[in-house]
Amino acid sequence: DVPNISHKGKTIRSYTPSFKLKVIVHAERVSISSAARQFNVDRRMTARWVKNRDRIKAQATENHGKEKKRLS
């Protein structure tokens, strides 16, 4: 379940590091586009997460994926 926040008419979603890692793993196994569709996440955001994999993994390990911090 992804929390939604409205900001100037747009919906902003917040994703946990553990969720991001699931998307990254799928993207690396299949494709970025497939992962984006499967997890209902923007393709460009998925690509950014793949690029920042090490930082996201460290963040997930640091707080066990529970705390929601923005990482672009």
Side-chain angles (χ1 to χ4, degrees), residues 12 14-15 22 33 45 58-59 66 70 72:
I12 300 171
S14 177
Y15 301 99
K22 289 178 188 178
S33 294
M45 183 179 296
Q59 188 181 33
K66 294 179 183 174
R70 184 179 166 133
S72 49

Side-chain angles (χ1 to χ4, degrees), residues 6-68:
S6 286
H7 178 71
K8 295 183 181 179
K10 293 184 179 183
T11 300
I12 300 171
R13 295 182 179 170
S14 177
Y15 301 99
T16 63
S18 59
F19 176 81
K20 292 177 185 180
L21 284 176
K22 289 178 188 178
V23 176
I24 291 167
V25 167
H26 186 82
E28 290 176 337
R29 287 186 182 162
V30 183
S31 72
I32 289 173
S33 294
S34 173
R37 280 190 305 271
Q38 177 78 24
F39 292 94
N40 197 29
V41 177
D42 183 71
R43 182 187 52 79
R44 290 168 294 189
M45 183 179 296
T46 303
R48 196 174 327 133
W49 291 350
V50 171
K51 182 179 176 183
N52 293 318
R53 181 184 200 275
D54 293 336
R55 286 177 33 193
I56 293 169
K57 187 174 183 178
Q59 188 181 33
T61 304
E62 183 179 293
N63 59 25
H64 306 293
K66 294 179 183 174
E67 189 175 335
K68 298 173 199 94

